[in-house]
Amino acid sequence: RIEDGSYRFIHYNLPNNDINITDFSDAINGFFHDPVICWKDPSSGVIIENTKSTLLTNQDFNAVIHTLESDLYAHFRLFIGNNYPLSNEIITYFASEDTCFKTIRLYNSKDKVITFSSAFLDLLLLGKNQTLCITLAKNLLGTLENEKDLLQTIMIYIEANANATVAAKQLFLHRNSLKYRLDKFYEITNLDVRKFEDSLCAYLAIRLLENTN
C-alpha cells in the first residue's frame, strides 16, 4: 500500500473514552481515501494518508471532529501533521510530531484541532523544548534548508508585509518569478506565506535555523 508521493500524519487522541474500533475505522474511511489507521494504545493513534488523494484542508478538520463526536459519542483531539516525501527520514518526522502533540496537549486543553504551524508557534512561545522546536523547523523547511536564494525570497516577501510589488523590486525579480518561488515554497513546506499564521511560522522557522547554524 506504500506508493510514491508525500504523506501526512493525522494524530488523534481520545481522552477517557471507550470507542468501537470498527465504528471509528468506518467513520474515518468516510473522510479519507484509503487511509492507514494505526492505534498506538487504546486512546491514541495516527491516520496516514497519501497527500495525492488529500481533499481535506486544515480548516476542514473542525467539521470533521464535530461529525466524529456526534456520530461516535466520543471526544477527540486531532493534530494535523505536515506533508512529507516518502524517505528514510519519515519515521523521524512522525516521532517529532508525536512528541509535539503530547507536549502541546499538556498546555493547550482548549483547541480540539491543532495544526503543525500553530503547535510550532505555541512551542516557541512556551519556550519549553528548544531542541524539539529546531527539529520541527527542519521538518517544516525540509530540503529547502540549504536553498538560500529561496529562503531569502521568503524572508524579504514577509518583511515587505506580503506586498509582492515591493518584494519583487527589492529582489530584482518579475512578479511572476516571485509568484513561482512562493508557490514552490508552498509545495514543499505546505506553508502559504500569503496567510498570517503560515508566514509567521515560516519566518520564525528560518530565523531559528539561521541562529542555530
Side-chain angles (χ1 to χ4, degrees):
R1 297 186 64 180
I2 297 178
E3 303 175 359
D4 291 336
S6 61
Y7 287 80
R8 177 168 69 170
F9 302 111
I10 295 99
H11 308 254
Y12 57 86
N13 177 254
L14 299 85
N16 303 319
N17 278 291
D18 293 325
I19 191 170
N20 183 285
I21 293 178
T22 300
D23 291 343
F24 177 78
S25 297
D26 289 344
I28 293 301
N29 277 286
F31 289 107
F32 300 93
H33 175 71
D34 198 25
V36 176
I37 304 171
C38 301
W39 287 84
K40 295 183 295 181
D41 56 55
S43 63
S44 65
V46 63
I47 302 159
I48 306 171
E49 65 166 347
N50 189 316
T51 57
K52 288 193 299 185
S53 59
T54 296
L55 298 176
L56 296 174
T57 66
N58 286 347
Q59 290 71 33
D60 293 327
F61 279 97
N62 284 308
V64 169
I65 206 167
H66 175 76
T67 302
L68 289 174
E69 290 185 338
S70 297
D71 292 350
L72 301 177
Y73 304 101
H75 294 292
F76 288 84
R77 300 194 74 189
L78 298 177
F79 177 92
I80 315 306
N82 206 25
N83 297 348
Y84 301 112
L86 185 61
S87 68
N88 293 333
E89 288 77 33
I90 200 162
I91 299 300
T92 303
Y93 298 149
F94 166 77
S96 60
E97 288 192 353
D98 185 50
T99 301
C100 180
F101 188 29
K102 290 176 181 175
T103 304
I104 288 299
R105 291 205 310 265
L106 297 175
Y107 301 99
N108 181 344
S109 59
K110 179 184 66 173
D111 295 331
K112 292 185 176 182
V113 178
I114 300 169
T115 64
F116 187 103
S117 55
S118 67
F120 174 68
L121 294 175
D122 285 348
L123 278 178
L124 284 175
L125 290 172
L126 288 167
K128 292 294 181 181
N129 192 328
Q130 184 77 352
T131 300
L132 179 59
C133 289
I134 293 170
T135 299
L136 294 176
K138 290 181 177 181
N139 292 0
L140 270 173
L141 298 181
T143 58
L144 295 180
E145 189 177 349
N146 296 318
E147 293 198 29
K148 304 302 182 184
D149 289 344
L150 180 54
L151 295 184
Q152 180 191 39
T153 297
I154 298 304
M155 294 294 279
I156 289 177
Y157 176 79
I158 295 171
E159 290 169 352
N161 296 316
N163 187 313
T165 301
V166 172
K169 184 176 181 180
Q170 291 184 22
L171 291 162
F172 302 101
L173 288 175
H174 191 278
R175 283 190 56 161
N176 288 342
S177 298
L178 174 61
K179 181 180 182 300
Y180 169 79
R181 293 189 183 185
L182 298 180
D183 290 342
K184 179 181 178 181
F185 185 80
Y186 175 70
E187 288 175 8
I188 295 174
T189 66
N190 203 35
L191 293 175
D192 184 353
V193 292
R194 302 170 185 88
K195 299 178 180 178
F196 173 74
E197 184 176 282
D198 283 359
S199 67
L200 179 60
C201 190
Y203 186 85
L204 292 176
I206 295 170
R207 287 294 303 272
L208 179 60
L209 293 184
E210 284 179 347
N211 292 334
T212 301
N213 295 333

